Each structure stands twice: as C-alpha cells, then as structure tokens.
Amino acid sequence: MNFQIFFQKMKMDIDKITGFCKEKGFLFPSSHIYGGLKGVFDYGPLGTQLKQNILQQYWNYFLIPHDNIVSQDGSIMLNEKVLEASGHVKNFNDPVAISTKGERMRADHLLEEHFPNMKAETMSYAELLAFMQETDIRIGNDRVAFVEEANLMFSTKTFNGPKCYLRPETCQNIFVNAKLVADLSRLTLPFGICQHGKVFRNEISPQNFVFRCREFEQLELEFFFNPSLVLEPKVAHFEIACSFANGENRLIQLEELIDRVHFWHLHWMRQMLVWLTQHIGLTREKLRLREHHPDELSHYSSATFDVEYLYPIGQESSFKELCGLANRGDYDVSQHAKYSSKNLKFKCPQTGDKLYPHVIELSIGMERLFLAVICDAYEFNMERDYEVLHLKESLSPIEYAIFPLPSKNHEKQLFLDCALDIQSRLKLKHKHTFYETTGSIGKRYARQDSRGTKWCITVDDMTLECRSITIRDRDDKSQRRINIDDFFNEL
Ligand code: ATP
C-alpha cells in the first residue's frame, strides 16, 4: 500500500487540529482557567517560536533583500480621525442577523452555511433578511427577525483626549506615516513599507479556532508606485488554480492576468505565492487565487485577489481566505491628505510629477497562516501510530533534540556531559534545542516528531569511543552517523 496517499486521505478536521495545538502547547484559549474569551488565544512555548520563525521568514523574504522596502512598528491605538479618513468608521461593517430571542450571528456566513454556493457578500441587508426568512434559516431554533449593520472596531477613550480605536488593520499607520518614513529613509517611488503587529476586530461570530478571531496579528506590505509609468510587463511563470469573479475556475499561468491587473499587483501576487510555497512550505495544490466580484470589493479597492487555502473547515475541506492582495489605488494617502490638510504628495523621480501614489497591499493574517502551516504539516502516521508534524526545517520550533543513551560500558555521567556539551555548542550557534534523558528512545523520538523537531541526536557508546553521533531525520526516520566535529563544520 502507498502509505503516503493513504495518510493524505485520512480525515483531518478543525477540531482535531484545535486539540492537537492545545495538547502540544502551540496555541490555546486565552483566560482558559476562567472559561476563556471567545476569539482570543495565547501562544504556548512551541507556538511562540513557530510564529517567530514564520515572522523571520517574512522579514528575510519581503524586507531584507529589497533596498526600497523598509519596516515600521506603529501604535495599536489610533486617533479616531485616522479611521474616519480611512472610511472605517463609516464602512467597516458586517451584517448581523438577530433572532427573535436576540441571538446574533454574522448574516452572510449563516446564509452561506446553508447555501454554500451563494455569494452572500454581494447581497443587500434587505435581500439577506428576505432570503433567510423565505428559506426559514434559523439561529438555533429561532427565526431571524432582523439584519443590521455592526461596526467591527473596538473603541475606547483616553483621559481628556479624543475618542480612539484599536486598529482593525496595521496598514493605516503605514499610510499616515508614508511620507515621513519615505523622507527619513531617503526613498523615492516605487518603495514599500511593511509592518507586523496586533489588530482587533469585534467579529460577530468568531469561530473555527484561530481562523476568525477578535485579536490577531497581521503582516502587511504596502507598495507605493506611480501608476502612469509604463513598465515592462514581465512576470515569471507560476502555475496556480484560480477562481474568477465570473465563476470560471481553472489552472492558470500567473502571467495570463497581466491584462486584468497592474504589473506591480501581479508582481507582488507572484512574490506572495512563491513565499508561501517555497519558504513557508504550503502545498501548492492547497492554494488558489480568488478574484473579488466588483460588488464585493472593499470601499478602497479597484481590484483584489485573495490567496485561499484549503482549510479543514466544514463538512468537506473548503478554500478560505488566507491573505488579501489588493490594488488600493490612491485612496488611502489622498484621504489622509484631505482629512489632515497636510501635503502628502510624492514627487516621481522619473516624470517629475507630484502625485498621491497608488498602493498594492499584501495583507496576511498570522493566525490564518499559522493554522495553514499546522494543517499542511500535520499527519497521523499509521505506521508509527502517532502524529508527525512535517514542518519545514526553518520553521521547526526545536531544531535539534539531544538524547544521551547511557549503557553499562561507561559511567552514566560521561554520556550526559557529552550530550550537554553538544547542546551548548548548538546553543552558541543560536540553534533551538531540547535535551532529554528519560524515557525509551522510541517515546523520545515520538514526542519530538509530533512537535515538529527536525533532527534528533543520540549520544551512545560510539560517541564516547570514537566521537561519532547519530542524527535522525523526523520525516523518514533515516539515521546517519557522523563525527561530532564534522557535524559542527557542516552547520
Ligand atoms: P474575511 O472576509 O474572512 O472576514 P477580510 O477580507 O475582512 O477577511 P482583510 O480585511 O482583507 O480580511 O484582512 C487581511 C487578512 O487578515 C486576511 O486575509 C486574514 O488573513 C486576516 N484576518 C482578517 N480577519 C481575521 C480574523 N477575524 N481572524 C484572523 N485573521 C483575520
């Protein structure tokens, strides 16, 4: 039997992944000893490190190689004027369905649960209510009585100061600061600013583990450019499934989209897809692009494609948004210029024009990415009879586990000292390590396999006699013997 295919067919659902993450200490509900807080989570030791590794891959790919991309770390609390200018105070709303008993659920999602092929996002609130009443969709046992608008932002107030909001997306700090940051960094168009941080949305129905939370993190890159400059429209091949706004679904070569989207939009779409597949290790067949229907576009966007991942959510797994790739036009900077009465125009070095730059946004939620990474790496291995987490080596929270295997041939302390010495040398190389002396070697391997540890090192008789260790690979269990000094030279 081909085990590989058999494993892939094993049913994995969101509850299994939730339990797995909690049990291994990746992620669990916040305030859990008091019953938790819906839509809010804490990262445990392994989760914190995995998140940190994902973030490092992000900086390595989107920031470090580019002379014209810089980072910033903006505040979470924003003056209400920022969000009035951006349109969030008026437009950052979702439809809430309210039952005859006052229970609330997000109306478009409720409808799509019953009619998965309907595009509820494109329906008006009156249409949503009429349809739900006609088809007798219920919240629990109760009929839907109203569909209302709910703003998703958390507001608060400072002493004697203005009303403020917890930011619902990281990018508004970037738009407010764009001119200042560009001047400080001596950047001219085209350039980018990226940022990572917490955001808050008072989601009506947080659900599906961390897929929809109320507190989460975003990694956003805003790329500013002059749209009137004609660029050589060259984009390297990348094959990916695509769901078009007209309902067509097919495999495309990315460069086919050059007539539909701006060159920079397509360029960054490709960069994101390459990063997700080659640097984060997501399976290409579990990703697809989805074009937003014109009725569904956000108030600022002229074209948006989402990258969707095949999450194990619902009866069957379903493609759901992992990240958004939007052409925001000049909406944001021009709005902030208008509301603040500040000069936020940029001079294009090629044409000399003064303009509000256009922006391509790459917006990815850390929790949705984290969830995709775990789902993609998770396997219940029938042969080993336990869970194995096939994380990419660069993402593994623990890179090396070190196990002394004392025998009667030598004093026990010699094995322990040798293993601890190897661990210290790995730590000096900034490697994440784990040292364990107890339990059978099989149990020790199993614990590390399920935590995603890529390499297990054993220290045995031969280590003491001829300075060689064994290194075991998590994925295929293969072992090789290597001299300790050669091993460190290879690192
Ligand atoms: P959705 O349609 O699923 O509500 P959205 O289109 O409102 O998402 P964006 O505003 O485009 O999401 O946010 C950018 C990214 O932030 C999303 O692609 C997603 O990865 C992440 N994100 C958005 N809302 C949530 C949430 N409630 N919980 C976790 N991640 C989220």
Side-chain angles (χ1 to χ4, degrees):
M1 180 185 338
N2 181 338
F3 275 105
Q4 217 43 40
I5 294 172
F6 185 57
F7 296 153
Q8 280 161 11
K9 286 193 173 159
M10 287 263 315
K11 179 114 181 72
M12 183 216 313
D13 60 36
I14 196 73
D15 293 338
K16 194 175 280 179
I17 292 294
T18 308
F20 173 79
C21 284
K22 192 173 165 191
E23 190 191 309
K24 305 294 170 198
F26 281 99
L27 257 174
F28 37 80
S30 176
S31 317
H32 59 97
I33 61 170
Y34 297 104
L37 184 60
K38 222 169 173 212
V40 185
F41 295 86
D42 289 344
Y43 285 86
L46 294 178
T48 307
Q49 192 53 49
L50 174 52
K51 184 166 66 136
Q52 192 60 36
N53 293 346
I54 293 174
L55 189 58
Q56 190 58 52
Q57 292 300 315
Y58 184 80
W59 291 142
N60 287 353
Y61 187 77
F62 287 104
L63 179 73
I64 294 173
H66 307 283
D67 290 337
N68 63 343
I69 298 183
V70 294
S71 60
Q72 69 158 53
D73 188 3
S75 67
I76 286 171
M77 290 164 73
L78 291 177
N79 187 316
E80 68 176 327
K81 293 197 176 113
V82 172
L83 294 150
E84 274 166 13
S86 67
H88 283 79
V89 171
K90 194 156 160 244
N91 296 317
F92 199 58
N93 305 313
D94 275 339
V96 54
I98 306 171
S99 76
T100 46
K101 294 238 173 82
E103 281 292 305
R104 280 153 206 267
M105 272 193 78
R106 184 149 155 196
D108 50 343
H109 291 172
L110 178 64
L111 193 148
E112 282 169 8
E113 262 173 37
H114 291 80
F115 298 91
N117 294 327
M118 282 194 77
K119 286 270 157 272
E121 244 177 290
T122 60
M123 293 166 77
S124 71
Y125 290 9
E127 285 168 340
L128 281 171
L129 178 63
F131 189 84
M132 284 200 261
Q133 290 185 331
E134 240 166 64
T135 51
D136 198 24
I137 290 177
R138 289 172 179 244
I139 302 178
N141 292 325
D142 307 311
R143 286 177 65 83
V144 175
F146 312 98
V147 172
E148 281 179 4
E149 190 171 73
N151 191 284
L152 301 191
M153 287 195 295
F154 286 97
S155 63
T156 184
K157 213 179 159 336
T158 54
F159 285 116
N160 307 323
K163 182 174 173 186
C164 59
Y165 291 98
L166 304 186
R167 63 183 176 191
E169 55 184 23
T170 56
C171 59
Q172 290 310 321
N173 306 79
I174 299 182
F175 298 130
V176 168
N177 295 342
K179 183 103 176 77
L180 176 67
V181 168
D183 289 348
L184 291 171
S185 315
R186 303 175 68 76
L187 288 172
T188 53
L189 295 173
F191 70 91
I193 303 178
C194 57
Q195 180 170 232
H196 157 249
K198 288 268 186 192
V199 300
F200 300 82
R201 296 185 185 182
N202 198 0
E203 294 282 356
I204 299 156
S205 335
Q207 58 189 336
N208 293 320
F209 190 29
V210 287
F211 182 82
R212 188 167 300 286
C213 348
R214 290 188 166 133
E215 174 178 335
F216 57 100
E217 293 172 29
Q218 283 183 327
L219 308 148
E220 294 199 300
L221 168 61
E222 308 299 326
F223 190 77
F224 299 83
F225 63 98
N226 177 357
S228 59
L229 274 185
V230 182
L231 296 154
E232 183 71 10
K234 257 199 183 151
V235 174
H237 292 308
F238 194 97
E239 191 175 69
I240 186 82
C242 185
S243 166
F244 288 98
N246 65 5
E248 193 188 349
N249 287 296
R250 62 184 170 87
L251 267 183
I252 59 161
Q253 289 294 342
L254 210 52
E255 61 267 31
E256 284 177 38
L257 299 182
I258 196 65
D259 297 332
R260 294 174 104 98
V261 299
H262 189 277
F263 164 75
W264 282 122
H265 198 172
L266 194 54
H267 169 81
W268 287 111
M269 262 186 214
R270 186 174 189 285
Q271 297 299 102
M272 178 55 86
L273 288 166
V274 169
W275 183 65
L276 290 171
T277 49
Q278 293 175 17
H279 298 257
I280 295 299
L282 297 183
T283 309
R284 188 188 292 222
E285 290 68 30
K286 290 188 178 175
L287 292 170
R288 78 167 184 191
L289 283 173
R290 186 180 72 81
E291 184 184 25
H292 280 213
H293 190 276
D295 295 346
E296 179 200 347
L297 286 174
S298 307
H299 57 277
Y300 51 74
S301 172
S302 59
T304 295
F305 278 78
D306 289 340
V307 178
E308 298 187 323
Y309 180 77
L310 190 63
Y311 288 100
I313 292 177
Q315 294 287 7
E316 298 290 327
S317 293
S318 45
F319 279 105
K320 294 198 175 291
E321 178 176 339
L322 165 61
C323 74
L325 305 162
N327 185 339
R328 296 181 76 120
D330 64 358
Y331 176 81
D332 300 277
V333 181
S334 63
Q335 281 290 105
H336 287 302
K338 187 167 136 198
Y339 276 69
S340 66
S341 308
K342 297 278 186 302
N343 176 7
L344 301 180
K345 281 195 170 159
F346 286 71
K347 188 170 175 189
C348 175
Q350 279 89 2
T351 62
D353 294 344
K354 290 209 168 139
L355 72 146
Y356 293 121
H358 282 221
V359 174
I360 301 300
E361 173 178 82
L362 290 75
S363 176
I364 185 156
M366 174 61 89
E367 281 67 15
R368 287 195 192 174
L369 180 56
F370 191 99
L371 185 58
V373 165
I374 296 271
C375 293
D376 220 274
Y378 177 92
E379 174 207 20
F380 185 86
N381 189 304
M382 304 286 272
E383 190 196 349
R384 298 186 212 178
D385 198 24
Y386 61 73
E387 289 152 326
V388 181
L389 201 59
H390 299 278
L391 292 172
K392 227 175 143 50
E393 186 179 349
S394 51
L395 298 186
S396 292
I398 301 167
E399 291 157 284
Y400 293 92
I402 302 120
F403 303 143
L405 295 178
S407 76
K408 292 190 284 300
N409 302 330
H410 301 276
E411 205 184 311
K412 182 176 175 189
Q413 196 56 41
L414 291 174
F415 292 94
L416 306 190
D417 289 347
C418 182
L420 284 169
D421 182 54
I422 291 170
Q423 189 190 26
S424 315
R425 288 179 70 182
L426 283 167
K427 282 182 178 173
L428 282 174
K429 299 222 175 228
H430 308 293
K431 300 289 179 198
H432 290 274
T433 60
F434 183 81
Y435 170 78
E436 194 175 35
T437 56
T438 54
S440 73
I441 186 67
K443 286 215 170 103
R444 283 188 254 175
Y445 283 149
R447 264 199 293 275
Q448 294 311 312
D449 288 350
S450 66
R451 284 160 174 74
T453 306
K454 177 68 175 161
W455 307 109
C456 290
I457 295 176
T458 55
V459 168
D460 56 13
D461 282 342
M462 280 177 77
T463 317
L464 299 187
E465 287 154 19
C466 56
R467 288 188 58 73
S468 72
I469 48 179
T470 65
I471 302 182
R472 172 186 177 274
D473 184 328
R474 170 201 64 207
D475 298 316
D476 59 7
K477 300 195 296 179
S478 64
Q479 297 198 23
R480 66 184 178 121
R481 204 162 254 290
I482 182 169
N483 173 276
I484 295 179
D485 297 320
D486 292 344
F487 165 69
F488 279 101
N489 287 337
E490 267 183 24
L491 276 185

